[in-house]
Amino acid sequence: MLFRSASAYAKGAGLQLAWGRIFLCYGPGEDDRRLVPSVIRALLAGHEAEVSDGKQWRDLIHIDDLARAFVTLLDSPVTGAVNIASGEEVRLAEVIALIAAEVGRPELVRLGALPRREGDPPKLLATVSRLHEEVGFERQITLENGIRDTVAWWRERQQ
């Protein structure tokens, strides 16, 4: 509704509007109740990380790439809605395994210990063709490097 209202206002005012639709971002500074930081913090503390089965498919983008995508979008002539995501699908179990390997505590991960949240879609993936083809943005941070960076950030704060 906000997008529709902003689009109508922009049209009436003779303005152009670009609307970046953020998919799932992660990285330093993320709310510690979310998946990536909650798993990192538990494992760094030597506690079990209880998670769902991890079979959900997601599209994750590192916060630094997210910021670069917005800057690139704002510097472009593109208007309308543009999905901002990595364009790569990954199972959450793989994300959790990357975190566990980086922390060095894979034995503490408890896949399937928690039920999936009600209404949690099996796939949440973005189509990023406009972001790549029209805006000209390509992510720079791989999931592996982003997890490494995020674990290091949390490690510094837990010492």
Side-chain angles (χ1 to χ4, degrees), residues 84-133:
I84 299 184
S86 71
E88 285 190 15
E89 58 186 59
V90 62
R91 283 199 186 263
L92 290 181
E94 182 180 338
V95 175
I96 294 163
L98 287 170
I99 293 168
E102 184 64 29
V103 173
R105 299 302 305 263
E107 76 281 1
L108 294 176
V109 172
R110 298 294 176 257
L111 283 174
L114 298 177
R116 287 194 192 180
R117 291 181 299 177
E118 188 174 328
D120 191 20
K123 286 189 174 193
L124 186 55
L125 309 171
T127 300
V128 293
S129 54
R130 291 198 76 206
L131 182 65
H132 295 301
E133 296 164 14

Side-chain angles (χ1 to χ4, degrees), residues 3 7 17-21 73 78-83 130-131 134:
F3 173 65
S7 295
L17 174 73
W19 185 273
R21 292 192 295 203
L73 175 59
V78 174
T79 60
V82 177
N83 293 336
R130 291 198 76 206
L131 182 65
E134 296 176 44

Side-chain angles (χ1 to χ4, degrees), residues 22-41:
I22 301 170
F23 274 68
L24 303 171
C25 62
Y26 71 96
E30 183 178 7
D31 185 321
D32 64 3
R33 294 171 293 181
R34 294 179 49 90
L35 177 68
V36 170
S38 68
V39 171
I40 292 171
R41 291 183 70 228

